[in-house]
Amino acid sequence: MNKYIKILLLLCSCLIFVSCSNQNQEDLNIFLAASLSSQVEKLADDYSKNINIDSSGSYDLSNKIILGAAPDLALLANYNLKNSFFKNFKFYDNYFDNELILIHKKNDEIDLNNICINNLELGIADPTRAPLGKMSNEILNENRCNKNYNLKVTSNASALINMINLNYVDNAIIYKNDFSKINNDLNFSMSNYNFDKKMTYAFFINNNLEIERKTEVIKFINYLKVQKNILSTDKSSK
């Protein structure tokens, strides 16, 4: 009798394991640029399937992929990604453009030369870990004062906004779309200084997906694009 009970329990355990495994297989696994985390995570929560998100700087995530990580989808800043990243991932479509801006606390207009000459602290993202930092560093190098900046560096765009909101820096180069995330009580302003640079975020799909799973990934991509357009229309109508 005990033997049959043990067999029954074993079968039940196997069925539970298979059920859980199938559920996990239905989940979509996504690498997401940190600067898009707030808007995409909200949309993912409302999606019909469970979306597992790993969010960090685009270069950190692309390096994980190069070292063997295999998410179904990567939504990253498409800027100076290493060739080895494209061994197993293919560009699918663009998603979002983000301009770079200079922000400051001073009432008067300020530019990079003012910051450099007066040795004022300037917050930027890490050029080795985040495309925002890479592009920010290029902007500084294009400026004649490029060797003398008093920099405060954070890991990525999201961490930079956190540093600003903690009141650790009075000047920074950020994404324009992130300005609304800054606490209004801190009285930051956008400089009129025009960098004429923007970052494009794009979808990259794992080349090794089976057709059915790739179809599910594309459905999620289309969902994000439709929701983004709806949000853009709502903002423009206000």
Side-chain angles (χ1 to χ4, degrees), residues 39-50:
Q39 65 191 76
V40 173
E41 285 175 358
K42 290 177 184 177
L43 296 175
D45 286 341
D46 295 331
Y47 192 60
S48 58
K49 289 184 176 293
N50 189 46

Side-chain angles (χ1 to χ4, degrees), residues 161-175:
I161 295 301
N162 289 339
M163 182 173 73
I164 292 167
N165 280 327
L166 289 170
N167 208 19
Y168 287 159
V169 67
D170 290 343
N171 310 281
I173 297 176
I174 68 168
Y175 288 130

Side-chain angles (χ1 to χ4, degrees), residues 19 23 31 35 39 61 96 109 117 153 166 171 184 198:
S19 175
Q23 180 64 42
F31 277 9
S35 52
Q39 65 191 76
L61 295 174
F96 183 77
E109 179 59 24
I117 291 169
V153 181
L166 289 170
N171 310 281
N184 290 330
K198 67 177 182 179

Side-chain angles (χ1 to χ4, degrees), residues 143-158:
N143 189 279
R144 61 188 177 187
C145 214
N146 62 63
K147 298 295 182 183
N148 300 314
Y149 287 106
N150 182 8
L151 299 179
K152 295 192 76 169
V153 181
T154 64
S155 57
N156 54 54
S158 181

